[in-house]
Amino acid sequence: MDLTHVRRLIDLLATAPVAELEVEEGGCRIRITRGGGTQPDGAPSAPPAVVAHAPVAAVPPPAPTAAPVAEEALIAAPSYGVFHLSPAPGAPPFVTVGQDVQAGQEVGLVEAMKVFNAVRATQAGRIAAVLVEDGTEVEAGTPLFRLA
């Protein structure tokens, strides 16, 4: 498993109503758990912890942010398929990092069996990160964009 896949699993756990996720793939097993409760000062609990079992290499913790973001939202894939950032090869992407989007705005496409499903913003915000590369195969619910 590569670091990108592990990060996707962490993002998935952050948005799912479960406290623990365990995945086994190709002889590698990863268990990710979410810390419970809050810190004494009222700050939110630590991000999900990753417990890797051999032969997976150690995963460095994510770099701390300067200031916590009030609330981040994710835009997820509506279905299984290949994710596209632009409407056609060579065309400019629907959105770029730093761009403001409105709820319902088309931000990408997911293609499955030559059928294109629009990926739409679930709420207004600013694109903080594109979490999946153009042309990547995604599952329904895979986080594609992070809004700030």
Side-chain angles (χ1 to χ4, degrees):
M1 258 183 249
D2 63 355
L3 187 55
T4 304
H5 187 64
V6 172
R7 285 185 179 151
R8 284 189 202 142
L9 291 173
I10 291 170
D11 284 338
L12 177 63
L13 180 66
T15 60
V18 296
E20 182 175 307
L21 176 67
E22 189 166 335
V23 177
E24 188 167 347
E25 183 178 292
C28 298
R29 190 173 80 184
I30 293 181
R31 190 173 121 227
I32 305 170
T33 59
R34 180 191 333 250
T38 59
Q39 305 283 332
D41 63 351
S45 61
V50 176
V51 179
H53 299 278
V56 177
V59 177
T65 56
V69 176
E71 188 172 321
E72 289 185 329
L74 297 174
I75 300 173
S79 62
Y80 167 82
V82 177
F83 175 63
H84 297 285
L85 284 167
S86 59
F94 287 102
V95 293
T96 57
V97 173
Q99 181 177 340
D100 289 326
V101 294
Q102 301 302 315
Q105 179 179 341
E106 190 169 359
V107 294
L109 294 172
V110 174
E111 174 191 7
M113 298 174 49
K114 301 296 178 192
V115 175
F116 292 85
N117 293 311
V119 177
R120 299 195 181 277
T122 52
Q123 67 185 49
R126 175 169 285 150
I127 302 291
V130 178
L131 304 173
V132 178
E133 291 183 32
D134 188 47
T136 302
E137 196 171 300
V138 297
E139 299 284 333
T142 300
L144 303 174
F145 298 93
R146 184 180 316 273
L147 295 178

